Amino acid sequence: MSGQARRRKMPEDRRQEIVSLAGELIAEHGLNSLTFRRVALAVGVAPGLVSHYFPSAEQLAAEAFEFATLNEVRGLFGDINGQPDPLARIRALLARVLSDQRQSMALLILDAYRCSRNQPLLREALIRALGAWEAELAEIIRPGVASGVFATVDPLKSAIHILALVDSYASQVATHLTSRLEIIREMVVSGTERELGLAPGSLQSSASG
């Protein structure tokens, strides 16, 4: 009965299911782990059905990556925007992106940087994902500037600078060296303080993972 229910799914629902499960697979195992056979096994269909919706593994990887990262952006900033003020939102953001619980996503983004060199569809998906991150962060910074809490003349530029610092943390996650990660966390936090014109130590509680 469950197999019949799967076969009766509408094409768009089936396609979305494939993308969603592929996103879970690459978040856990990396982009190079993605194959039609592996995704088909997760979905419970024949590999030929996956290739029916996606002409190439590159297209599936790009869509799965974008789905996974944009889901994270929506969930992350949805939670953070519930904080009472811009400073609290920045603290909450750093606490989340520097958390040990986010390391699989940090590795996935690092993986995308590496693989996108030879995969134009993935590169375009990565650019869109980064743009979404930057836009959301800039929207947190702007009211902080308006209220005088943050001192920066260009919220979007500051968002790009801060996310570049976060990416530097992602590049170190693969080493699995706790002592190194603590140093990089402190660098991200102190760099964010400088970027936003905050007094040293204003965000230091965010550095613990």
Side-chain angles (χ1 to χ4, degrees), residues 142-159:
R142 284 190 181 96
V145 174
S147 64
V149 175
F150 302 146
T152 176
V153 296
D154 189 336
L156 181 58
K157 185 176 180 179
S158 289

Side-chain angles (χ1 to χ4, degrees), residues 8-27:
R8 289 173 184 161
K9 281 195 173 181
M10 297 295 291
E12 189 52 41
D13 292 337
R14 173 68 75 204
R15 193 180 193 284
Q16 189 57 50
E17 180 185 32
I18 291 170
V19 171
S20 176
L21 288 173
E24 292 177 13
L25 285 173
I26 62 173

Side-chain angles (χ1 to χ4, degrees), residues 125-148:
L126 176 60
I127 290 169
R128 287 191 295 270
L130 293 174
W133 267 95
E134 293 158 2
E136 291 283 358
L137 180 51
E139 286 305 307
I140 291 178
I141 295 172
R142 284 190 181 96
V145 174
S147 64

Side-chain angles (χ1 to χ4, degrees), residues 87-108:
L87 185 59
R89 290 172 197 142
I90 292 293
R91 285 198 184 106
L93 174 68
L94 293 180
R96 288 283 292 275
V97 298
L98 300 178
S99 167
D100 291 340
Q101 282 68 49
R102 191 185 173 266
Q103 289 192 4
S104 62
M105 186 57 66
L107 287 170
L108 177 59

Side-chain angles (χ1 to χ4, degrees), residues 34-80:
L34 197 67
T35 64
F36 286 161
R37 183 173 297 278
R38 194 166 194 172
V39 174
L41 184 63
V43 178
V45 298
L49 184 61
V50 178
S51 62
H52 170 74
Y53 288 104
F54 298 92
S56 68
E58 180 188 350
Q59 181 182 344
L60 176 55
E63 291 196 33
F65 171 79
E66 189 166 5
F67 177 83
T69 52
L70 291 183
N71 259 3
E72 188 202 30
V73 169
R74 284 190 289 267
L76 178 63
F77 284 95
D79 292 342
I80 288 169

